[in-house]
């Protein structure tokens, strides 16, 4: 789906698009730029395309059109999208210069193109935009069997005297289809000088020709044309037939009326109305009556009233449509006179009409129709009554409900569903208390549920617990969620302990709603838990979804206990309930459960639940990315993995983009991965570098579908506008320690060593590094013993991303990141309170003067991945741990000589001792000095 980011991306095209110095190359570039945006499926894309085309000269318009290929030899879609849109665009006010340029360029192309299909397309463009300058060229095609119709239409759309003359000249000597096309065009533009020439064709036997001639003459409006049309309509007995003479005659009358000759128009309409009395001519009579009414509304009232009661449905409804705009109380009274003696269908149509017209004067007749013997009439009366008097209709309809047939009762129900009448709840409960028929009871229960009438709960429970018919009990169960109140919890719990089959779900929903609506939620939650423990083991499982909907730590503890239950049914129910949990306290437990469940169905529910809770949690984006990556590790199906990749898109981080980018070569996942990579990258201009460019280039090759060319243009534009410096670079390979070396002393000591001593010490340090550190699958591991590892390159000001994890089983977890060779951004096992580790990771541990402790504890549990964002400018350091600020622009002191400031440039160093440590996704971006 297209994102809002493209709005500014494409507007910037106009500012930055540069064309080559060579004119031909420049022309090709301009055309390529336009075609790259096709099809422009948003208003922004269309605006950009049209603005680019405004800069085209006639020859460039021609060059663009000359790229059209004959059918079967190429795809013309992009060219046609662009030029067809532009042919309408130039017709806007203030675009006369652009219009002239476009027409001239199109005519130039028309002279060269030989393929008839493409010629036809160019003539269609001229039909949209041409003026008198195109008349001569279009006239050349009037006798072309393949193109004459298109050329004639184009001339008719120009609609000037020269264009009409060209069509008339073409008609001279024309026969057959070409003559029909020219006459049709002359009629369309109502070119009066062509009348006599057109009449000459009226006596021909060809039906299509005569139909076209009659249409054209109806547009000209002279007495001579009128006489021809009158005879043709009379000969057709004023019926609709293939030549459509009667329709043309009435069209002629409409034209006379529009020109101010109402008297003649009325005579024609009256003549047709009287002449069309035979069966099968109702359309004609209706059309004539509409014209008569338009000319003399008051004179036609009696005729309209009679027509509105006619047995012919088409004629009747035509009359009602004509009558509607001028209907008054007197007319309405006439319509309902003798109502009960009218045909059933007529009564229904009149009731619908009067209700829709809000004609309250006929309310007594409408109410009387409620007693009709016809169910169809009563249904129409029900709706009309409510439309005319909604307030008073409700109690009357409730009175009728118990005694009505099924279809009438359902009609009353539909009406009552829409009312806001405050009496309705009590009326419903009164009817239910009177023990109505099962059909009526079901309707009442559905209406009570729709209105959420909680006071009705005792009556609804009585239907469930009593001996009500099956369908009534089912309706009562279905109503429970909409009616549930906190005070109903006890009885609902009793129902749940005995419910089975389809009864279970509505009771569960009702209990959840009752608890969540309560001001004493904790107390009611305890009641649910107590009921669970009191239930038989097989029935306990039905309580777990309730606890899932209620949420909270007490509910969670009960469900978690049962995820290890020896009873497989209870364990499965608990797992599925945890997967459906509605609040985020279940998130870490779902992570843990996702690593333990083996059943495919359970895992699917857990993974999807985990992704859902990550989405609704308020965790920072970096933390969400860690959780989603954890979910991906356990996901088994493509559907699960695609869901995770889609969820990553909402978290606009560099690591999220890179992770999705790993799957651009996966046939099943690459489409989703490409969308995620593209939308993260294009919405964050701070993400750039060789890796970003590589991924977006790969995305461009994957994109497909109608928007692909548009999106590829956006990617090219985005890449062209990114900063030119190196951007983000990776410090860690997939399976080797390239770029890293062993630690030799400290920065001050190294500077005092001779070159030969430093080389020897480095050789020993590298051997020790390879013994203690290794890379596997893009993760840097420390085996638990050995010295620190450092970068071969030195860095000054920087931004750094690095994920880290301490071994869950290790002792004395302690690690860190040295900046400019100086300790350190601290990494702790926070359980080591004996050394003060409870303060959390991310602080500048070795500071003495400036703050050394983090602002807050933001560590994930031991054994889980964490992520640092570190920024160092001059001697000041900022650290985010898992997206939470823990060190805010604090000076990093020179541990090696506190009398000196921090070194201006030095290596990055990863410390690890006391336990196994893992690092991954180490990325760095060098920053200029302030």
């Amino acid at each position: 789906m297209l994102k809002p980011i493209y709005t500014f991306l494409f507007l910037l095209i106009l500012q930055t698009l540069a064309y080559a110095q060579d004119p031909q190359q420049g022309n090709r570039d301009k055309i390529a730029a336009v075609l790259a945006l096709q099809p422009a499926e948003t208003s922004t894309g269309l605006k950009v395309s049209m603005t680019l085309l405004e800069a085209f000269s006639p020859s460039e318009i021609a060059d663009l059109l000359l790229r059209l290929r004959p059918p079967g030899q190429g795809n013309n879609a992009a060219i046609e999208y662009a030029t067809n849109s532009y042919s309408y665009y130039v017709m806007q006010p203030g675009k006369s210069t652009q219009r002239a340029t476009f027409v001239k360029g199109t005519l130039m192309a028309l002279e060269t193109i030989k393929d008839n299909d493409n010629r036809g397309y160019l003539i269609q463009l001229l039909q949209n935009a041409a003026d008198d300058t195109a008349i001569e060229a279009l006239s050349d095609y009037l006798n072309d069997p393949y193109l004459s119709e298109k050329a004639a239409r184009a001339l008719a759309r120009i609609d000037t005297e020269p264009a009409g003359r060209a069509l008339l000249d073409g008609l001279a000597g024309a026969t057959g289809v070409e003559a029909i096309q020219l006459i049709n065009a002359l009629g369309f533009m109502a070119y009066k000088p062509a009348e006599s020439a057109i009449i000459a064709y009226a006596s021909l036997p060809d039906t299509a020709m005569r139909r076209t001639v009659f249409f054209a003459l109806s547009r000209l409006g002279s007495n001579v044309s009128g006489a021809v049309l009158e005879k043709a309509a009379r000969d057709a007995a004023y019926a609709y037939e293939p030549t459509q003479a009667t329709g043309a005659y009435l069209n002629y009358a409409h034209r006379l009326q529009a020109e101010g000759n109402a008297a003649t128009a009325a005579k024609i309409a009256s003549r047709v109305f009287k002449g069309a009395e035979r069966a099968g001519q109702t359309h004609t009579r209706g059309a004539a009556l509409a014209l008569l009414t338009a000319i003399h509304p008051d004179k036609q009232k009696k005729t309209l009233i009679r027509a509105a009661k006619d047995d012919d449905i088409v004629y009747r409804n035509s009359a009602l449509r004509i009558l509607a705009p001028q209907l008054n109380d007197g007319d309405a009274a006439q319509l309902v006179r003798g109502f009960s003696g009218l045909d059933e269908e007529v009564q229904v149509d009149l009731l619908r009409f009067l209700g829709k017209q809000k004609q309250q004067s006929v309310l007594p007749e409408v109410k009387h129709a409620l007693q009709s013997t016809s169910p169809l009439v009563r249904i129409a009366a029900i709706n009309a009554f409510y439309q005319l008097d909604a307030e008073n209709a409700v109690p009357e309809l409730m009175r009728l409900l118990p005694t009505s047939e099924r279809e009438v009762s359902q009609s009353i129900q539909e009406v009552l569903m829409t009312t806001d009448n405050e009496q309705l709840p009590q009326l419903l409960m009164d009817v239910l208390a009177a023990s109505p028929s099962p059909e009526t009871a079901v309707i009442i229960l559905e209406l009570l549920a729709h209105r959420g009438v909680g006071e009705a709960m005792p009556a609804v429970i009585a239907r469930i617990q009593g001996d009500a018919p099956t369908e009534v009990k089912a309706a009562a169960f279905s109503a429970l969620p909409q009616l549930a109140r906190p005070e109903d919890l006890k009885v609902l719990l009793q129902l749940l302990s005995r419910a089975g089959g389809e009864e279970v779900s509505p009771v569960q929903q009702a209990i959840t709603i009752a608890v969540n609506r309560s001001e004493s939620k904790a107390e009611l939650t305890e009641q649910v838990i107590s009921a669970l423990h009191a239930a038989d083991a097989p029935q306990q499982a039905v309580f777990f979804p309730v606890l899932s909907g209620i949420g909270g730590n007490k509910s969670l503890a009960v469900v978690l206990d049962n995820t290890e239950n020896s009873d497989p049914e209870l364990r499965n129910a608990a797992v599925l309930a945890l997967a459906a949990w509605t609040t985020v306290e279940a998130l870490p437990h779902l992570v843990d459960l996702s690593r333990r469940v083996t059943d495919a169905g359970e895992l699917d529910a857990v993974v999807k639940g985990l992704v859902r809770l990550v989405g609704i949690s308020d965790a920072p984006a970096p933390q969400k990315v860690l959780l989603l990556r954890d979910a991906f590790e356990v996901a088994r199906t493509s559907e699960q993995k695609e869901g995770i990749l889609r969820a990553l898109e909402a978290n606009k981080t560099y690591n999220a983009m890179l992770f999705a980018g790993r799957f651009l070569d996966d046939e099943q996942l690459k489409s989703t991965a490409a969308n995620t990579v593209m939308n993260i990258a294009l919405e964050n201009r701070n993400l750039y570098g060789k890796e970003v460019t590589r991924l977006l280039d790969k995305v461009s090759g994957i994109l497909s579908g109608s928007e692909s060319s548009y999106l590829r243009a956006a990617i090219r534009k985005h890449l062209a506008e990114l900063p030119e410096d190196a951007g983000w670079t990776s410090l860690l390979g997939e399976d080797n320690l390239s770029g890293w070396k062993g630690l030799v002393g400290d920065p001050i000591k190294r500077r005092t060593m001779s070159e030969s001593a430093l080389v020897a010490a480095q050789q020993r340090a590298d051997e020790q590094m390879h013994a203690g550190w290794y890379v596997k699958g893009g993760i840097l591991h420390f085996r638990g013993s050995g010295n620190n590892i450092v970068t071969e390159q030195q860095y000054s000001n920087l931004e750094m991303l690095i994920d880290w994890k301490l071994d869950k089983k290790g002792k004395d977890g302690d690690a860190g990141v040295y900046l400019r060779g100086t300790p350190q951004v601290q990494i702790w096992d926070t359980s080591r309170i004996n050394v003060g580790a409870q303060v959390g990771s991310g602080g500048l541990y070795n500071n003495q003067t400036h703050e050394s402790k983090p602002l807050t504890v933001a560590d994930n549990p031991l054994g889980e991945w964490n992520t640092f964002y570190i920024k160092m400018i001059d001697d000041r350091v900022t650290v985010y741990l898992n997206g939470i600020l823990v060190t805010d622009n604090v000076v990093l002191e020179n541990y090696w000589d506190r009398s000196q400031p921090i070194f201006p440039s030095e290596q990055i160093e990863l410390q690890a001792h006391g336990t196994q440590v893992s690092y991954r996704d180490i990325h760095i971006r060098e920053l200029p000095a302030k």
Side-chain angles (χ1 to χ4, degrees):
M1 181 174 286
L2 225 51
K3 300 288 184 178
I5 188 72
Y6 302 130
T7 299
F8 76 84
L9 282 174
F10 285 110
L11 290 176
L12 288 175
I13 288 178
L14 303 180
Q15 302 171 15
T16 59
L17 193 60
Y19 300 125
Q21 295 299 312
D22 174 55
Q24 291 185 346
Q25 181 61 43
N27 188 13
R28 288 194 292 271
D29 288 345
K30 291 170 75 173
I31 291 174
V34 170
L35 297 182
L37 299 177
Q38 306 308 315
E41 295 186 352
T42 67
S43 58
T44 300
L46 179 63
K47 184 177 180 180
V48 172
S49 298
M50 299 301 97
T51 306
L52 288 172
L53 283 167
E54 283 192 287
F56 275 42
S57 66
S59 62
E60 289 167 338
I61 293 289
D63 284 349
L64 173 59
L65 291 168
L66 288 172
R67 295 187 176 210
L68 290 166
R69 291 290 166 262
Q73 297 183 25
N75 188 347
N76 294 329
I79 300 172
E80 291 177 358
Y81 271 120
T83 53
N84 188 58
S85 298
Y86 194 58
S87 70
Y88 290 102
Y89 177 82
V90 298
M91 296 302 290
Q92 297 179 100
K95 302 293 182 185
S96 57
T97 301
Q98 291 88 339
R99 178 185 180 186
T101 299
F102 178 69
V103 171
K104 185 175 181 180
T106 304
L107 291 171
M108 291 168 62
L110 189 59
E111 291 179 358
T112 304
I113 286 180
K114 303 302 181 185
D115 177 74
N116 274 335
D117 287 299
N118 289 331
R119 279 181 176 177
Y121 175 69
L122 266 58
I123 293 173
Q124 179 184 319
L125 294 179
L126 293 170
Q127 178 181 327
N128 296 340
D131 53 20
D132 282 356
T133 60
I135 291 175
E136 183 178 355
L138 290 170
S139 298
D140 291 341
Y141 295 97
L142 289 178
N143 293 313
D144 185 310
Y146 195 85
L147 299 172
S148 62
E149 181 181 11
K150 289 182 172 62
R153 286 184 182 178
L155 286 167
R157 289 288 294 273
I158 294 173
D159 197 21
T160 62
E161 167 60 33
R165 176 54 56 186
L167 286 168
L168 184 55
D169 290 345
L171 182 59
T175 59
V177 174
E178 287 79 10
I180 290 174
Q181 291 163 353
L182 290 167
I183 293 170
N184 190 58
L186 286 163
F188 177 84
M189 64 181 296
Y191 186 63
K192 294 183 182 299
E195 183 178 41
S196 60
I198 293 173
I199 289 175
Y201 290 85
S203 59
L204 296 180
D206 181 79
T207 298
M209 173 65 79
R210 296 179 69 207
R211 182 170 57 246
T212 305
V213 167
F214 294 153
F215 161 77
L217 294 179
S218 75
R219 301 268 298 165
L220 299 179
S222 77
N223 291 336
V224 177
S225 293
V228 174
L229 292 172
E230 179 186 358
K231 181 180 184 303
R234 187 172 63 249
D235 291 344
Y238 302 107
Y240 279 103
E241 40 71 57
T243 69
Q244 298 178 11
T246 304
Y249 192 30
L250 284 173
N251 190 51
Y252 168 74
H254 276 285
R255 188 171 185 84
L256 290 177
Q257 182 206 13
E259 293 173 350
N261 191 353
T264 304
K267 289 179 182 179
I268 293 171
S270 180
R271 185 178 299 129
V272 172
F273 183 75
K274 292 177 182 177
E277 292 182 347
R278 294 189 318 180
Q281 296 175 323
T282 52
H283 289 87
T284 304
R285 296 185 73 201
L289 184 56
L291 179 55
L292 286 168
T293 304
I295 298 171
H296 297 300
D298 294 337
K299 291 183 179 181
Q300 305 305 320
K301 280 293 180 72
K302 289 183 179 180
T303 304
L304 283 171
I305 297 297
R306 285 196 304 271
K309 301 179 183 182
D310 196 274
D311 290 342
D312 187 292
I313 186 172
V314 174
Y315 185 47
R316 178 172 69 246
N317 283 294
S318 294
L320 290 173
R321 283 194 297 272
I322 298 166
L323 185 60
Q326 51 190 306
L327 184 70
N328 56 40
D329 288 350
D331 301 331
Q334 292 293 321
L335 285 174
V336 296
R337 181 171 295 174
F339 185 84
S340 60
L342 298 174
D343 183 79
E344 177 186 66
E345 292 183 358
V346 177
Q347 292 184 48
V348 169
D349 282 346
L350 289 178
L351 286 168
R352 289 173 178 169
F353 173 76
L354 293 167
K356 184 177 181 181
Q357 297 302 315
K358 306 294 184 185
Q359 197 61 45
Q360 291 187 329
S361 64
V362 298
L363 191 56
E365 287 78 7
V366 171
K367 293 173 68 175
H368 182 72
L370 293 172
Q371 310 304 320
S372 172
T373 58
S374 165
L376 292 177
V377 173
R378 292 207 302 280
I379 289 170
I382 286 166
N383 288 282
F385 187 13
Y386 186 73
Q387 288 174 308
L388 298 177
D389 189 8
E391 187 68 22
N392 292 314
V394 169
E396 181 66 20
L397 295 180
M398 285 298 306
R399 185 185 65 79
L400 292 174
L401 185 59
T403 60
S404 299
E405 304 97 317
R406 178 185 295 272
E407 63 264 37
V408 178
S409 296
Q410 289 174 342
S411 179
I412 294 174
Q413 180 184 16
E414 290 170 6
V415 168
L416 295 178
M417 286 284 190
T418 66
T419 185
D420 56 1
N421 191 302
E422 294 180 358
Q423 302 177 55
L424 183 61
Q426 188 59 52
L427 292 170
L428 291 169
M429 289 190 287
D430 289 346
V431 173
L432 189 62
S435 299
S437 68
E439 293 83 0
T440 301
V442 168
I443 290 175
I444 295 296
L445 289 166
E446 290 173 351
L447 286 167
L448 287 168
H450 179 75
R451 292 292 293 256
V453 184
E455 313 93 89
M457 181 63 91
V460 173
I461 295 295
R463 296 304 182 283
I464 291 174
Q465 295 178 332
D467 57 354
T470 302
E471 65 268 32
V472 176
K473 280 193 175 184
F477 271 108
S478 296
L480 291 177
Q482 286 75 40
L483 305 180
R485 304 166 300 175
E487 56 263 39
D488 302 314
L489 180 61
K490 182 177 180 180
V491 68
L492 289 171
L493 289 172
Q494 292 172 353
L495 285 179
L496 185 59
S497 66
R498 299 191 297 270
E502 295 180 356
E503 301 170 349
V504 172
S505 179
V507 182
Q508 290 171 330
Q509 295 174 47
I511 294 172
T512 302
I513 291 169
V515 174
N516 287 333
R517 285 177 175 173
S518 174
E519 295 180 0
S520 305
K521 184 174 178 179
E523 180 182 339
L524 268 63
T525 300
E526 289 286 1
Q527 292 182 36
V528 175
I529 294 172
S530 296
L532 181 152
H533 289 146
D536 295 337
Q539 197 67 14
Q540 288 180 355
V542 301
F543 287 84
F544 294 152
V546 175
L547 296 177
S548 175
I550 293 172
N553 289 323
K554 289 185 177 180
S555 298
L556 183 61
V558 174
V559 173
L560 284 174
D561 284 346
N562 283 277
T563 59
E564 301 294 335
N565 199 301
S566 58
D567 184 325
E569 289 188 13
L570 287 178
R571 185 190 62 77
N572 177 260
V575 169
L576 296 181
L578 189 63
W581 212 261
T582 55
T583 46
V584 295
E585 68 265 11
L587 191 51
H589 304 288
L590 273 178
V591 172
D592 177 63
L593 192 60
S594 70
R595 297 165 180 166
R596 294 188 288 110
V597 294
T598 56
D599 178 81
E602 290 180 354
L603 179 62
D604 186 67
V606 168
V607 169
K608 290 175 180 176
L610 198 162
V611 172
R612 177 177 51 80
L613 286 186
V614 169
I616 66 174
S617 77
D618 59 359
Q623 174 68 6
K624 289 186 176 184
V625 172
L626 291 175
L627 291 169
L628 290 171
R629 291 183 64 173
D630 284 341
F632 201 94
E633 289 299 315
V634 299
R636 295 180 187 172
T637 68
S638 294
E639 181 189 9
Q640 293 164 4
K641 292 175 182 179
E642 286 176 348
I644 295 168
L645 290 173
R646 281 192 294 269
L648 275 172
E649 184 185 326
N651 305 287
K652 312 299 183 185
T653 71
Y654 188 64
N655 280 347
M657 181 194 68
L658 292 184
F659 182 76
R662 296 180 184 179
F663 305 99
L664 293 177
D665 294 321
D666 187 305
E667 285 301 317
Q668 294 180 312
L669 302 178
K670 66 180 182 181
S671 178
T672 304
N675 198 57
T676 296
V677 169
M678 177 181 65
N679 289 314
I680 291 176
L682 296 188
E683 294 187 36
N684 191 342
R685 291 181 175 274
N686 193 44
L687 305 184
Y688 61 93
K690 290 182 178 180
E691 187 63 10
V692 176
T693 300
R694 183 187 72 82
L695 291 177
L696 286 178
D697 284 342
K698 184 170 283 191
V699 166
S700 291
I702 294 172
L703 292 172
S704 62
S706 61
E707 294 181 348
S708 58
S709 59
Y710 184 91
L711 297 175
R712 276 191 285 270
I715 289 172
R716 290 196 300 271
K717 189 71 176 57
H718 179 78
L719 290 173
E721 293 171 352
L722 292 178
E724 296 182 359
D725 62 83
W728 288 98
T729 58
S730 175
L731 299 187
L732 189 61
E734 186 68 19
D735 56 6
N736 62 70
L737 288 168
S738 175
W740 296 87
K741 60 184 179 179
L743 172 65
V744 175
D746 60 67
I748 294 177
K749 182 177 180 180
R750 287 195 297 274
R751 289 169 185 171
T752 65
M753 297 174 68
S754 67
E755 183 175 352
S756 59
L758 184 59
V759 169
Q762 188 62 63
Q763 184 175 356
R764 290 191 298 273
D766 288 347
E767 291 174 357
Q768 188 177 22
M769 175 197 72
H770 284 288
W773 298 82
Y774 68 97
V775 178
K776 184 177 181 180
I779 299 176
L780 176 62
H781 298 279
F782 176 65
R783 291 187 169 92
S785 62
N787 209 343
N788 296 353
I789 189 171
V790 301
T791 59
E792 293 178 352
Q793 184 175 336
Q794 294 191 351
Y795 298 92
S796 181
N797 295 335
L798 56 80
E799 289 179 290
M800 184 178 185
L801 295 168
I802 182 169
D803 287 2
W804 55 269
K805 177 171 66 172
L806 296 175
D807 182 27
K808 189 174 184 178
K809 298 178 182 179
K811 290 184 178 181
D812 300 330
D814 183 353
V817 180
Y818 285 37
L819 302 174
R820 299 189 199 160
T822 301
Q824 75 197 29
V825 178
Q826 179 66 31
I827 294 174
W828 277 126
D829 170 359
T830 55
S831 66
R832 299 179 62 203
I833 58 176
N834 60 314
V835 293
Q838 68 273 15
V839 299
S841 303
L844 305 184
Y845 177 71
N846 292 103
N847 274 1
Q848 291 182 354
T849 303
H850 300 88
E851 184 58 62
S852 63
K853 297 176 183 176
L855 296 170
T856 187
V857 179
D859 300 61
N860 285 328
L862 190 66
E864 302 293 336
W865 283 104
N866 296 264
T867 186
F868 274 149
Y869 164 82
I870 301 170
K871 183 176 183 179
M872 185 173 190
I873 301 291
D874 298 332
D875 60 355
R876 292 187 173 271
V877 176
T878 296
V879 180
Y880 284 81
L881 172 56
N882 300 325
I884 297 173
L885 180 66
V886 291
T887 293
D888 188 8
N889 202 34
V890 176
V891 171
L892 177 62
E893 300 167 13
N894 191 330
Y895 172 81
W896 309 109
D897 184 348
R898 297 186 185 276
S899 66
Q900 296 184 26
I902 196 74
F903 308 111
S905 179
E906 254 297 344
Q907 58 201 17
I908 301 294
E909 186 174 326
L910 301 183
Q911 178 206 45
H913 58 82
T915 189
Q916 294 181 5
V917 184
S918 300
Y919 296 97
R920 73 181 183 191
D921 289 342
I922 308 174
H923 308 285
I924 200 162
R925 185 162 74 105
E926 297 185 76
L927 302 174
K930 281 191 174 180

